[in-house]
Amino acid sequence: MRNRYLDLLRFLAIVRVVVYHVTGYAALTLVFPAMSVMFALAGSLMAASLDRTGPSAVARRLRRLLPSLWVAAAVFVPAMLLTGLPWSTKVLLWLFPVGDPPANYWGGLALSPIWYLRDYLWFVLASPVALWLFRRAPLPTLLAPYVLLLVIEVGILPDAPTVLREFGLYFGAWLFGFAHHDGLLARLANRVLVPVAVVLAGAGIGWIVTHPGPRGYDLNDIHLGNALWSAAFILVVIGRAPAAAAWVDRNRLFGRAVTLVNRRALTVYLWHMPFVVLLTPLVGLVGWSVRDPVGLAVRVVLVFALVGVVTLLVGWVEDLAARRPPELLPGGRRRGPVRPPVAAPASPAPAGAATRLVPVGAGAAAGRARVPAPRTAVDEPVTVEINAG
């Protein structure tokens, strides 16, 4: 039976990502480190799938993940090829993004969330071995990504490849999901969990304050601080997750919204950035600056509205991928026997792109910057500055 509290966390994470990408408010990354929470929830789901079906869970998880990407690629890749993206065999990475697929300028910006799917794909492929190691040596396995990230951040491995840095940054959260599924976090006494969370949070804040990024205290620019603060956050909000949360459904409309966003997580994640990119210059044309409160509010509402339209058009692909009967609006009452719903893959996160051809998602590996700029991580705000004349 689904834990509606975990559904609520995923709902809040996705909404936070979209709002952050529109507004660029760095404080949102501290208040709710959405990406790490989503990776932790996905890790818990992956451990459950491996326990149910063994290694075949990898193929099942990929089947859930890829069709929504293929739908977006079917729209955007031909458009990029027609607007300057040269054909190469790397274009095929849009079918199975184990690396960063190529894109032209506007495509690299609009499709920047691909980094999350790339990391998710890596973590899924690594999960059978990682879960085996975790259950034999939980603490060393859990600490390994954080040690790796520390080694990279202090300069011992300054030129570490993208895959190592991303495992250091987010795989620890994925392993916390393993710990949640196995009940280790729930069994951890408060006299242990609370001090550990306080130490992690303190270390994270200390690193964040002493290592500000180009946008101040935005966690997306401060990798080690991000990982430590997120670990503390996960320990508290997931480590003390209630067994049930019936109150989520006390308001029928709110409960329906939580269900809808969970069932359409990938669709919302993949399609919100093109609308963020599209609407940013349009707001300037009507006289609002990119930081005008009214303009930001209008953009947030319009992005959610446009994503809602796309969700109605193609969101049902997620139902087919999960082998559920396709629905236009999930979460309504059904007639006849109801099968327990299956959780959708986790998702949320924006990014910039260079004015040349760039591999989408590589920004998670490069320095973070404003737009137009070198590539940046997907869970970052897009800022388009419009100069008069």
Side-chain angles (χ1 to χ4, degrees):
M1 188 173 182
R2 290 188 73 101
N3 186 327
R4 292 292 277 167
Y5 174 78
L6 300 183
D7 285 348
L8 177 64
L9 286 181
R10 187 180 294 107
F11 168 83
L12 293 175
I14 295 172
V15 171
R16 197 286 278 166
V17 165
V18 176
V19 174
Y20 168 75
H21 290 171
V22 176
T23 65
Y25 291 151
L28 292 174
T29 65
L30 284 162
V31 172
F32 198 103
M35 297 310 302
S36 293
V37 169
M38 295 308 300
F39 278 121
L41 295 173
S44 182
L45 289 174
M46 188 66 207
S49 296
L50 286 168
D51 283 344
R52 282 196 306 268
T53 63
S56 64
V58 171
R60 291 166 60 88
R61 194 57 42 179
L62 296 181
R63 188 197 73 218
R64 300 281 297 274
L65 180 69
L66 295 174
S68 293
L69 170 64
W70 295 339
V71 170
V75 174
F76 289 106
V77 172
M80 288 190 293
L81 291 171
L82 292 173
T83 55
L85 175 65
W87 168 259
S88 73
T89 55
K90 288 186 176 181
V91 172
L92 298 178
L93 286 172
W94 284 104
L95 299 177
F96 197 76
V98 289
D100 297 320
N104 59 7
Y105 168 65
W106 68 264
L109 186 59
L111 300 173
S112 53
I114 193 67
W115 78 264
Y116 174 78
L117 300 188
R118 178 203 64 202
D119 286 10
Y120 194 107
L121 182 60
W122 288 344
F123 296 170
V124 166
L125 294 174
S127 283
V129 173
L131 185 60
W132 182 87
L133 290 172
F134 179 80
R135 286 176 173 168
R136 280 150 184 81
L139 188 58
T141 305
L142 182 59
L143 291 176
Y146 298 97
V147 173
L148 172 62
L149 184 60
L150 177 63
V151 167
I152 294 171
E153 290 296 299
V154 299
I156 298 175
L157 285 176
D159 299 317
T162 301
V163 61
L164 285 183
R165 191 189 53 257
E166 295 301 288
F167 266 86
L169 180 56
Y170 288 120
F171 199 61
W174 190 274
L175 295 175
F176 269 113
F178 287 178
H180 169 260
H181 170 71
D182 286 358
L184 299 181
L185 298 185
R187 292 196 296 270
L188 201 61
N190 284 336
R191 66 178 182 274
V192 177
L193 184 146
V194 173
V196 170
V198 169
V199 169
L200 288 171
I205 290 296
W207 188 271
I208 291 165
V209 170
T210 56
H211 297 78
R215 293 167 298 174
Y217 301 126
D218 191 309
L219 289 192
N220 295 292
D221 302 324
I222 312 168
H223 295 165
L224 186 58
N226 185 354
L228 294 173
W229 175 257
S230 297
F233 192 90
I234 290 167
L235 270 176
V236 175
V237 301
I238 296 181
R240 287 298 171 260
W247 51 268
V248 171
D249 295 307
R250 285 176 186 167
N251 183 293
R252 187 175 63 85
L253 290 179
F254 180 71
R256 182 79 181 272
V258 170
T259 298
L260 175 61
V261 170
N262 272 266
R263 295 279 190 89
R264 298 294 182 259
L266 282 174
T267 303
V268 174
Y269 175 68
L270 287 168
W271 287 88
H272 78 276
M273 270 303 298
F275 295 125
V276 172
V277 173
L278 174 66
L279 291 174
T280 298
L282 294 182
V283 166
L285 293 177
V286 298
W288 290 318
S289 72
V290 294
R291 290 296 174 195
D292 184 275
V294 176
L296 288 175
V298 170
R299 285 168 59 202
V300 169
V301 172
L302 288 177
V303 167
F304 276 109
L306 292 170
V307 169
V309 172
V310 173
T311 298
L312 288 174
L313 294 174
V314 301
W316 50 269
V317 172
E318 294 195 58
D319 291 328
L320 295 181
R323 295 183 177 175
R324 294 188 300 255
E327 296 180 271
L328 200 61
L329 288 173
R333 295 180 179 178
R334 287 186 182 177
R335 296 180 179 179
V338 179
R339 294 184 298 175
V342 182
S347 80
T355 54
R356 55 188 173 80
L357 296 179
V358 297
V360 179
R368 272 60 168 169
R370 303 183 77 82
V371 177
R375 299 157 285 184
T376 59
V378 164
D379 191 20
E380 298 176 1
V382 169
T383 303
V384 179
E385 297 183 314
I386 302 173
N387 297 321

